[in-house]
Structure formats: C-alpha cells, structure tokens
Amino acid sequence: MHESDLRTLWVLSRVAELGSFAAAGRELGLTRAAVSRLVAQSEARLGVRLAARSTRQVVLSERALALVQAAQPALATLAAAVAGLADDEGALRGPLRIGCSHVLGRAVLLPALTPFLREHPALRLELQLSDAVEDLLAQRLDLSVRLGPLPDSSLVARPVGHVPLALVGSPALLAQHPKPRAPAELQAWPAIGIRPPSAPARRPWRFATPKGEWVMPLAQPVAEVNTLEAAADLAQAGLGLAMLPRYLVAEALADGRLQALLPQHMAQGPAVHVCTTQRELLPERVKRLLPVLVPALKARLRAA
C-alpha cells in the first residue's frame, strides 16, 4: 500500500462524514485543492474512480464508500492509539463522547458520571441522548450505555445489570379496583401501552411467577405512547397502569403520586451494557473512566 493512499483513505473517511472536500480539508489542515489532488493521485495510481466532481459538489463513488466502511475499524484503532499518546496521565482532557437513551441517561448515567467530571475538569462531556441504537464508529463515540440485546457482535460489552421495573398507577385508579394478587388479575385494568419509535410493536408486560415468566400482551390499551415519560404522565393522571423503569418513577412513588402493584412479580427489565468498539488502545480518559463508571452504574441500578 502506497503511503499517500493511507492519507487518501483518511481523507475519504472525513469527506464521507462531513460531506465535502472543503470541510474535510479544514478539519485536517489542508486546502480543498490539496485534498482534491491527493484523491486524484490515488485514483490514477489505483485505476479506480473515488469521487465524482462538479463545479458545486463532490460525491464519493460507491467503491470509495465501500472502502471507507471496510476501513473504519482500522482507522478508529489508529485514531485511538494517537489519542492515547496525547493523553496526559496526570490531567485528563479533551472530549468525552458518550451515547445513551434519554431516561437512563438522565436518571442513572449522569449521576454516576458527574463525580468523574468534577475530578477531571479539563474533560468536556459530549453526551448524545437518543433512543435509537448508536453507531459508535459513525458517531465517533468513546462509549455508549445500551439497553437490551446487542446485535453488533463487534462491540466490547461490559454488563452492568438490568433495568428495574415497576407497575404503577395513581391512588385514585387503584381505589377503583380490587387489589390484584396475581398478574392474571390485571387483564381487566386499563393499561397504557408503550411503543418506542424503533419497535415493531408495543411492549407487553412481563411478570415473574412460580412457573416462570408470564407475558401479558396489551391488546387494547386505553392509550399508546412512544416515550416512557409520556406513559408516566398518563399514569399519574389516573388514565391507566404503566410498566416503567423504577428510576423514572422513584420520586412519584416516594411522594405518593404513584403506587406500585405486584412488586414481587416484576420480571427483569432489559439488560444494560457499557459498550466500546475495542478493549485495547482506548484513549487514557476512557480507560480511566471505565473502572469508575461500570461499578457506579451497577450500584445505581441495584438501588433504584
């Protein structure tokens, strides 16, 4: 591999993310002409068209996009190695890019993360809260805290526990119905369904029973929402029961706005993992964070 082709590969990866030769050049400290010349030299040497040019824009070819996608893990490893060299062990600094879902991020991750940020004030947190599954490489995340199954087997996943669940309703609603003794008795109760934007169907309720897990589909909920916060609001308003993370409704349970039903029958919620793209060659700031963050998240999930 020619030395300049490696430089071209890095340039193409930045063009793919930033959308233009000019933007890639600004980030890399190169003029637009220098970027264009570097790509043209590699095209001539390899005999492959890497970009389609016009007077107004540059579009990477399918061959170039496929090349960038295949090379992303290696480029990320190189970037992490260089970043690791630059980290000062005495004073961590620079961006700390983390992805997490909205509710888990606000209720669990941020309280676990704040002491580390106070200890290292030169770090700059860049937190991306989203209920979509993050692409750590494409979004340039140092780590993500993920819920549920991990379809991307290339990630290094550190388990920290499960989401603690609570089936909750308002005191006014509970006063209208006999107290249930078993999950099957809930089928006559009004229910609030939750269907996240990326989910193919609304979530059923899952319970732990002496015979194993019992799943209750919500065939006719009184309402269906796409966020946990909206379900909690409707439950507090007395519209129906909702199955929610305990850390979301902890304050409402403590002050009596909500009450929990059948806590002894709550099944485990989704698994929670702290994920990175690799185990070795992590930036020093990430290597120092993980031994603090993982046990802190475990403790907060257990205590919720």
Side-chain angles (χ1 to χ4, degrees):
M1 182 177 185
H2 196 278
E3 178 183 349
S4 63
D5 292 335
L6 182 59
R7 295 181 64 195
T8 301
L9 183 56
W10 188 256
V11 166
L12 291 176
S13 74
R14 306 313 302 139
V15 173
E17 180 170 338
L18 299 174
S20 72
F21 277 8
R26 284 193 297 271
E27 182 178 284
L28 298 172
L30 301 172
T31 65
R32 186 183 186 282
V35 171
S36 182
R37 184 167 56 252
L38 188 63
V39 173
Q41 289 171 351
S42 288
E43 286 179 327
R45 188 165 41 255
L46 298 173
V48 174
R49 176 59 60 89
L50 298 174
R53 302 164 180 81
S54 72
T55 57
R56 302 185 64 180
Q57 63 178 347
V58 177
V59 178
L60 295 186
S61 69
E62 291 187 5
R63 299 283 294 275
L65 289 172
L67 176 62
V68 168
Q69 184 175 8
Q72 275 293 5
L75 292 174
T77 298
L78 287 171
V82 173
L85 289 175
D87 278 328
D88 183 340
E89 293 187 4
L92 301 182
R93 57 174 53 87
L96 187 59
R97 303 182 180 97
I98 300 177
C100 190
S101 64
H102 281 94
V103 174
L104 182 68
R106 293 183 62 189
V108 179
L109 173 61
L110 281 177
L113 189 59
T114 300
F116 185 81
L117 296 173
R118 288 200 187 103
E119 185 179 349
H120 303 285
L123 287 175
R124 185 180 72 255
L125 175 65
E126 295 181 9
L127 180 61
Q128 298 184 25
L129 295 180
S130 171
D131 293 325
V133 176
E134 309 94 343
D135 184 329
L136 273 73
L137 289 175
Q139 295 173 242
R140 297 192 299 162
L141 295 175
D142 292 314
L143 61 89
S144 71
V145 183
R146 285 193 174 181
L147 295 173
L150 298 173
D152 188 346
S153 60
S154 66
L155 295 177
V156 178
R158 300 158 182 83
V160 294
H162 290 79
V163 173
L165 297 175
L167 181 67
V168 298
S170 70
L173 178 66
L174 271 59
Q176 299 172 19
H177 297 266
K179 185 176 181 179
R181 293 168 296 177
E185 297 177 16
L186 295 168
Q187 298 189 71
W189 286 63
I192 299 166
I194 301 171
R195 182 177 181 176
S198 59
R202 75 176 65 98
R203 294 172 177 170
W205 290 351
R206 299 178 183 275
F207 298 93
T209 73
K211 296 182 180 180
E213 187 177 70
W214 186 70
V215 179
M216 177 179 159
L218 304 184
Q220 293 183 315
V222 295
E224 180 177 286
V225 297
N226 66 354
T227 69
L228 299 172
E229 297 95 328
D233 290 342
L234 292 177
Q236 288 188 50
L239 193 66
L241 300 179
M243 187 169 286
L244 297 164
R246 284 192 67 90
Y247 46 72
L248 173 61
V249 295
E251 289 187 9
L253 288 171
D255 63 23
R257 284 174 289 150
L258 289 173
Q259 295 179 9
L261 292 174
L262 303 176
Q264 72 277 19
H265 287 290
M266 288 298 98
Q268 281 189 332
V272 184
H273 293 85
V274 175
C275 301
T276 57
T277 56
Q278 55 191 339
R279 193 177 300 277
E280 306 297 334
L281 297 178
L282 293 170
E284 184 66 23
R285 58 189 179 274
V286 179
K287 287 192 289 186
R288 300 263 291 276
L289 171 63
L290 286 171
V292 175
L293 183 62
V294 168
L297 291 176
K298 288 180 178 180
R300 289 192 168 272
L301 288 172
R302 285 195 304 266

PDB file of all heavy atoms in Angstrom, residues 138-163:
ATOM      1  N   ALA A 138     -19.519   5.544  13.455  1.00  0.00           N
ATOM      2  CA  ALA A 138     -20.019   6.644  12.632  1.00  0.00           C
ATOM      3  C   ALA A 138     -20.214   7.910  13.449  1.00  0.00           C
ATOM      4  O   ALA A 138     -19.979   9.021  12.955  1.00  0.00           O
ATOM      5  CB  ALA A 138     -21.327   6.237  11.958  1.00  0.00           C
ATOM      6  N   GLN A 139     -20.655   7.764  14.719  1.00  0.00           N
ATOM      7  CA  GLN A 139     -20.903   8.934  15.565  1.00  0.00           C
ATOM      8  C   GLN A 139     -19.684   9.327  16.391  1.00  0.00           C
ATOM      9  O   GLN A 139     -19.746  10.251  17.186  1.00  0.00           O
ATOM     10  CB  GLN A 139     -22.090   8.656  16.485  1.00  0.00           C
ATOM     11  CG  GLN A 139     -23.397   8.470  15.744  1.00  0.00           C
ATOM     12  CD  GLN A 139     -24.524   8.021  16.654  1.00  0.00           C
ATOM     13  OE1 GLN A 139     -25.089   6.950  16.506  1.00  0.00           O
ATOM     14  NE2 GLN A 139     -24.877   8.851  17.617  1.00  0.00           N
ATOM     15  N   ARG A 140     -18.586   8.605  16.202  1.00  0.00           N
ATOM     16  CA  ARG A 140     -17.317   8.890  16.895  1.00  0.00           C
ATOM     17  C   ARG A 140     -17.504   8.923  18.415  1.00  0.00           C
ATOM     18  O   ARG A 140     -16.974   9.788  19.106  1.00  0.00           O
ATOM     19  CB  ARG A 140     -16.705  10.195  16.391  1.00  0.00           C
ATOM     20  CG  ARG A 140     -16.337  10.177  14.922  1.00  0.00           C
ATOM     21  CD  ARG A 140     -15.496  11.352  14.536  1.00  0.00           C
ATOM     22  NE  ARG A 140     -16.187  12.615  14.773  1.00  0.00           N
ATOM     23  CZ  ARG A 140     -15.588  13.790  14.855  1.00  0.00           C
ATOM     24  NH1 ARG A 140     -14.278  13.876  14.764  1.00  0.00           N
ATOM     25  NH2 ARG A 140     -16.287  14.894  15.058  1.00  0.00           N
ATOM     26  N   LEU A 141     -18.248   7.946  18.931  1.00  0.00           N
ATOM     27  CA  LEU A 141     -18.470   7.870  20.366  1.00  0.00           C
ATOM     28  C   LEU A 141     -17.348   7.086  21.033  1.00  0.00           C
ATOM     29  O   LEU A 141     -16.878   6.075  20.508  1.00  0.00           O
ATOM     30  CB  LEU A 141     -19.808   7.175  20.653  1.00  0.00           C
ATOM     31  CG  LEU A 141     -21.076   7.895  20.192  1.00  0.00           C
ATOM     32  CD1 LEU A 141     -22.296   7.017  20.437  1.00  0.00           C
ATOM     33  CD2 LEU A 141     -21.224   9.232  20.900  1.00  0.00           C
ATOM     34  N   ASP A 142     -16.941   7.544  22.218  1.00  0.00           N
ATOM     35  CA  ASP A 142     -15.969   6.785  23.008  1.00  0.00           C
ATOM     36  C   ASP A 142     -16.622   5.546  23.608  1.00  0.00           C
ATOM     37  O   ASP A 142     -15.998   4.490  23.690  1.00  0.00           O
ATOM     38  CB  ASP A 142     -15.395   7.654  24.129  1.00  0.00           C
ATOM     39  CG  ASP A 142     -14.517   8.770  23.597  1.00  0.00           C
ATOM     40  OD1 ASP A 142     -13.680   8.482  22.729  1.00  0.00           O
ATOM     41  OD2 ASP A 142     -14.665   9.912  24.051  1.00  0.00           O
ATOM     42  N   LEU A 143     -17.864   5.691  24.042  1.00  0.00           N
ATOM     43  CA  LEU A 143     -18.606   4.555  24.592  1.00  0.00           C
ATOM     44  C   LEU A 143     -20.089   4.867  24.550  1.00  0.00           C
ATOM     45  O   LEU A 143     -20.498   6.010  24.370  1.00  0.00           O
ATOM     46  CB  LEU A 143     -18.156   4.224  26.030  1.00  0.00           C
ATOM     47  CG  LEU A 143     -18.334   5.286  27.118  1.00  0.00           C
ATOM     48  CD1 LEU A 143     -19.716   5.170  27.776  1.00  0.00           C
ATOM     49  CD2 LEU A 143     -17.268   5.136  28.192  1.00  0.00           C
ATOM     50  N   SER A 144     -20.894   3.819  24.695  1.00  0.00           N
ATOM     51  CA  SER A 144     -22.335   4.006  24.811  1.00  0.00           C
ATOM     52  C   SER A 144     -22.855   3.094  25.908  1.00  0.00           C
ATOM     53  O   SER A 144     -22.270   2.047  26.190  1.00  0.00           O
ATOM     54  CB  SER A 144     -23.049   3.715  23.490  1.00  0.00           C
ATOM     55  OG  SER A 144     -23.033   2.329  23.207  1.00  0.00           O
ATOM     56  N   VAL A 145     -23.939   3.517  26.533  1.00  0.00           N
ATOM     57  CA  VAL A 145     -24.627   2.692  27.519  1.00  0.00           C
ATOM     58  C   VAL A 145     -25.902   2.204  26.844  1.00  0.00           C
ATOM     59  O   VAL A 145     -26.799   3.008  26.565  1.00  0.00           O
ATOM     60  CB  VAL A 145     -24.945   3.487  28.800  1.00  0.00           C
ATOM     61  CG1 VAL A 145     -25.600   2.574  29.833  1.00  0.00           C
ATOM     62  CG2 VAL A 145     -23.669   4.092  29.371  1.00  0.00           C
ATOM     63  N   ARG A 146     -25.947   0.921  26.546  1.00  0.00           N
ATOM     64  CA  ARG A 146     -27.023   0.378  25.716  1.00  0.00           C
ATOM     65  C   ARG A 146     -27.983  -0.495  26.511  1.00  0.00           C
ATOM     66  O   ARG A 146     -27.589  -1.198  27.442  1.00  0.00           O
ATOM     67  CB  ARG A 146     -26.444  -0.449  24.567  1.00  0.00           C
ATOM     68  CG  ARG A 146     -25.845   0.384  23.455  1.00  0.00           C
ATOM     69  CD  ARG A 146     -25.578  -0.458  22.233  1.00  0.00           C
ATOM     70  NE  ARG A 146     -25.134   0.338  21.106  1.00  0.00           N
ATOM     71  CZ  ARG A 146     -24.848  -0.168  19.919  1.00  0.00           C
ATOM     72  NH1 ARG A 146     -24.957  -1.464  19.702  1.00  0.00           N
ATOM     73  NH2 ARG A 146     -24.462   0.616  18.928  1.00  0.00           N
ATOM     74  N   LEU A 147     -29.234  -0.454  26.077  1.00  0.00           N
ATOM     75  CA  LEU A 147     -30.291  -1.275  26.660  1.00  0.00           C
ATOM     76  C   LEU A 147     -30.623  -2.422  25.721  1.00  0.00           C
ATOM     77  O   LEU A 147     -30.642  -2.251  24.500  1.00  0.00           O
ATOM     78  CB  LEU A 147     -31.565  -0.447  26.878  1.00  0.00           C
ATOM     79  CG  LEU A 147     -31.497   0.694  27.888  1.00  0.00           C
ATOM     80  CD1 LEU A 147     -32.788   1.502  27.834  1.00  0.00           C
ATOM     81  CD2 LEU A 147     -31.308   0.146  29.280  1.00  0.00           C
ATOM     82  N   GLY A 148     -30.926  -3.593  26.299  1.00  0.00           N
ATOM     83  CA  GLY A 148     -31.449  -4.703  25.514  1.00  0.00           C
ATOM     84  C   GLY A 148     -30.382  -5.486  24.782  1.00  0.00           C
ATOM     85  O   GLY A 148     -29.185  -5.376  25.063  1.00  0.00           O
ATOM     86  N   PRO A 149     -30.819  -6.286  23.788  1.00  0.00           N
ATOM     87  CA  PRO A 149     -29.879  -7.145  23.044  1.00  0.00           C
ATOM     88  C   PRO A 149     -28.846  -6.314  22.304  1.00  0.00           C
ATOM     89  O   PRO A 149     -29.081  -5.147  21.959  1.00  0.00           O
ATOM     90  CB  PRO A 149     -30.803  -7.891  22.055  1.00  0.00           C
ATOM     91  CG  PRO A 149     -32.176  -7.745  22.599  1.00  0.00           C
ATOM     92  CD  PRO A 149     -32.207  -6.451  23.349  1.00  0.00           C
ATOM     93  N   LEU A 150     -27.716  -6.936  22.050  1.00  0.00           N
ATOM     94  CA  LEU A 150     -26.620  -6.252  21.347  1.00  0.00           C
ATOM     95  C   LEU A 150     -26.412  -6.923  19.992  1.00  0.00           C
ATOM     96  O   LEU A 150     -25.655  -7.892  19.882  1.00  0.00           O
ATOM     97  CB  LEU A 150     -25.333  -6.319  22.166  1.00  0.00           C
ATOM     98  CG  LEU A 150     -25.384  -5.626  23.533  1.00  0.00           C
ATOM     99  CD1 LEU A 150     -24.121  -5.908  24.317  1.00  0.00           C
ATOM    100  CD2 LEU A 150     -25.593  -4.130  23.373  1.00  0.00           C
ATOM    101  N   PRO A 151     -27.085  -6.439  18.951  1.00  0.00           N
ATOM    102  CA  PRO A 151     -26.951  -7.088  17.648  1.00  0.00           C
ATOM    103  C   PRO A 151     -25.565  -6.951  17.041  1.00  0.00           C
ATOM    104  O   PRO A 151     -25.157  -7.754  16.224  1.00  0.00           O
ATOM    105  CB  PRO A 151     -28.008  -6.378  16.787  1.00  0.00           C
ATOM    106  CG  PRO A 151     -28.214  -5.062  17.460  1.00  0.00           C
ATOM    107  CD  PRO A 151     -28.006  -5.298  18.922  1.00  0.00           C
ATOM    108  N   ASP A 152     -24.837  -5.899  17.428  1.00  0.00           N
ATOM    109  CA  ASP A 152     -23.497  -5.669  16.876  1.00  0.00           C
ATOM    110  C   ASP A 152     -22.479  -6.452  17.703  1.00  0.00           C
ATOM    111  O   ASP A 152     -22.037  -6.008  18.755  1.00  0.00           O
ATOM    112  CB  ASP A 152     -23.173  -4.176  16.896  1.00  0.00           C
ATOM    113  CG  ASP A 152     -21.882  -3.861  16.146  1.00  0.00           C
ATOM    114  OD1 ASP A 152     -21.124  -4.820  15.863  1.00  0.00           O
ATOM    115  OD2 ASP A 152     -21.634  -2.689  15.852  1.00  0.00           O
ATOM    116  N   SER A 153     -22.099  -7.644  17.224  1.00  0.00           N
ATOM    117  CA  SER A 153     -21.210  -8.512  17.995  1.00  0.00           C
ATOM    118  C   SER A 153     -19.775  -8.012  18.033  1.00  0.00           C
ATOM    119  O   SER A 153     -18.954  -8.556  18.765  1.00  0.00           O
ATOM    120  CB  SER A 153     -21.236  -9.932  17.392  1.00  0.00           C
ATOM    121  OG  SER A 153     -20.809  -9.902  16.039  1.00  0.00           O
ATOM    122  N   SER A 154     -19.451  -6.977  17.233  1.00  0.00           N
ATOM    123  CA  SER A 154     -18.079  -6.472  17.230  1.00  0.00           C
ATOM    124  C   SER A 154     -17.802  -5.564  18.424  1.00  0.00           C
ATOM    125  O   SER A 154     -16.657  -5.232  18.696  1.00  0.00           O
ATOM    126  CB  SER A 154     -17.813  -5.696  15.931  1.00  0.00           C
ATOM    127  OG  SER A 154     -18.595  -4.517  15.880  1.00  0.00           O
ATOM    128  N   LEU A 155     -18.845  -5.169  19.163  1.00  0.00           N
ATOM    129  CA  LEU A 155     -18.638  -4.292  20.312  1.00  0.00           C
ATOM    130  C   LEU A 155     -18.098  -5.064  21.509  1.00  0.00           C
ATOM    131  O   LEU A 155     -18.399  -6.249  21.690  1.00  0.00           O
ATOM    132  CB  LEU A 155     -19.958  -3.620  20.708  1.00  0.00           C
ATOM    133  CG  LEU A 155     -20.570  -2.650  19.698  1.00  0.00           C
ATOM    134  CD1 LEU A 155     -21.908  -2.139  20.210  1.00  0.00           C
ATOM    135  CD2 LEU A 155     -19.627  -1.489  19.409  1.00  0.00           C
ATOM    136  N   VAL A 156     -17.324  -4.384  22.327  1.00  0.00           N
ATOM    137  CA  VAL A 156     -16.895  -4.923  23.613  1.00  0.00           C
ATOM    138  C   VAL A 156     -17.918  -4.448  24.639  1.00  0.00           C
ATOM    139  O   VAL A 156     -18.028  -3.241  24.896  1.00  0.00           O
ATOM    140  CB  VAL A 156     -15.480  -4.442  23.982  1.00  0.00           C
ATOM    141  CG1 VAL A 156     -15.081  -4.995  25.349  1.00  0.00           C
ATOM    142  CG2 VAL A 156     -14.482  -4.880  22.915  1.00  0.00           C
ATOM    143  N   ALA A 157     -18.691  -5.375  25.198  1.00  0.00           N
ATOM    144  CA  ALA A 157     -19.812  -5.027  26.080  1.00  0.00           C
ATOM    145  C   ALA A 157     -19.507  -5.446  27.510  1.00  0.00           C
ATOM    146  O   ALA A 157     -19.142  -6.596  27.767  1.00  0.00           O
ATOM    147  CB  ALA A 157     -21.092  -5.705  25.599  1.00  0.00           C
ATOM    148  N   ARG A 158     -19.682  -4.507  28.436  1.00  0.00           N
ATOM    149  CA  ARG A 158     -19.480  -4.771  29.861  1.00  0.00           C
ATOM    150  C   ARG A 158     -20.841  -4.729  30.545  1.00  0.00           C
ATOM    151  O   ARG A 158     -21.438  -3.659  30.656  1.00  0.00           O
ATOM    152  CB  ARG A 158     -18.529  -3.730  30.452  1.00  0.00           C
ATOM    153  CG  ARG A 158     -17.141  -3.725  29.796  1.00  0.00           C
ATOM    154  CD  ARG A 158     -16.427  -2.405  29.994  1.00  0.00           C
ATOM    155  NE  ARG A 158     -15.132  -2.387  29.330  1.00  0.00           N
ATOM    156  CZ  ARG A 158     -14.949  -2.105  28.039  1.00  0.00           C
ATOM    157  NH1 ARG A 158     -15.995  -1.813  27.282  1.00  0.00           N
ATOM    158  NH2 ARG A 158     -13.747  -2.105  27.510  1.00  0.00           N
ATOM    159  N   PRO A 159     -21.367  -5.861  31.029  1.00  0.00           N
ATOM    160  CA  PRO A 159     -22.701  -5.857  31.655  1.00  0.00           C
ATOM    161  C   PRO A 159     -22.688  -5.110  32.979  1.00  0.00           C
ATOM    162  O   PRO A 159     -21.759  -5.247  33.784  1.00  0.00           O
ATOM    163  CB  PRO A 159     -22.994  -7.348  31.856  1.00  0.00           C
ATOM    164  CG  PRO A 159     -21.656  -8.003  31.895  1.00  0.00           C
ATOM    165  CD  PRO A 159     -20.762  -7.203  30.996  1.00  0.00           C
ATOM    166  N   VAL A 160     -23.735  -4.316  33.216  1.00  0.00           N
ATOM    167  CA  VAL A 160     -23.838  -3.573  34.475  1.00  0.00           C
ATOM    168  C   VAL A 160     -25.153  -3.858  35.205  1.00  0.00           C
ATOM    169  O   VAL A 160     -25.374  -3.314  36.290  1.00  0.00           O
ATOM    170  CB  VAL A 160     -23.680  -2.045  34.253  1.00  0.00           C
ATOM    171  CG1 VAL A 160     -22.286  -1.726  33.784  1.00  0.00           C
ATOM    172  CG2 VAL A 160     -24.715  -1.523  33.270  1.00  0.00           C
ATOM    173  N   GLY A 161     -26.020  -4.695  34.630  1.00  0.00           N
ATOM    174  CA  GLY A 161     -27.258  -5.033  35.326  1.00  0.00           C
ATOM    175  C   GLY A 161     -28.450  -5.018  34.406  1.00  0.00           C
ATOM    176  O   GLY A 161     -28.315  -5.116  33.176  1.00  0.00           O
ATOM    177  N   HIS A 162     -29.622  -4.913  35.008  1.00  0.00           N
ATOM    178  CA  HIS A 162     -30.876  -4.854  34.262  1.00  0.00           C
ATOM    179  C   HIS A 162     -31.705  -3.660  34.734  1.00  0.00           C
ATOM    180  O   HIS A 162     -31.550  -3.191  35.862  1.00  0.00           O
ATOM    181  CB  HIS A 162     -31.689  -6.141  34.463  1.00  0.00           C
ATOM    182  CG  HIS A 162     -31.089  -7.341  33.807  1.00  0.00           C
ATOM    183  ND1 HIS A 162     -30.027  -8.039  34.370  1.00  0.00           N
ATOM    184  CD2 HIS A 162     -31.384  -7.977  32.640  1.00  0.00           C
ATOM    185  CE1 HIS A 162     -29.708  -9.052  33.571  1.00  0.00           C
ATOM    186  NE2 HIS A 162     -30.515  -9.037  32.522  1.00  0.00           N
ATOM    187  N   VAL A 163     -32.582  -3.191  33.857  1.00  0.00           N
ATOM    188  CA  VAL A 163     -33.481  -2.105  34.220  1.00  0.00           C
ATOM    189  C   VAL A 163     -34.486  -2.619  35.249  1.00  0.00           C
ATOM    190  O   VAL A 163     -35.204  -3.574  34.980  1.00  0.00           O
ATOM    191  CB  VAL A 163     -34.223  -1.566  32.986  1.00  0.00           C
ATOM    192  CG1 VAL A 163     -35.282  -0.541  33.394  1.00  0.00           C
ATOM    193  CG2 VAL A 163     -33.245  -0.966  31.986  1.00  0.00           C
TER     194      VAL A 163
END
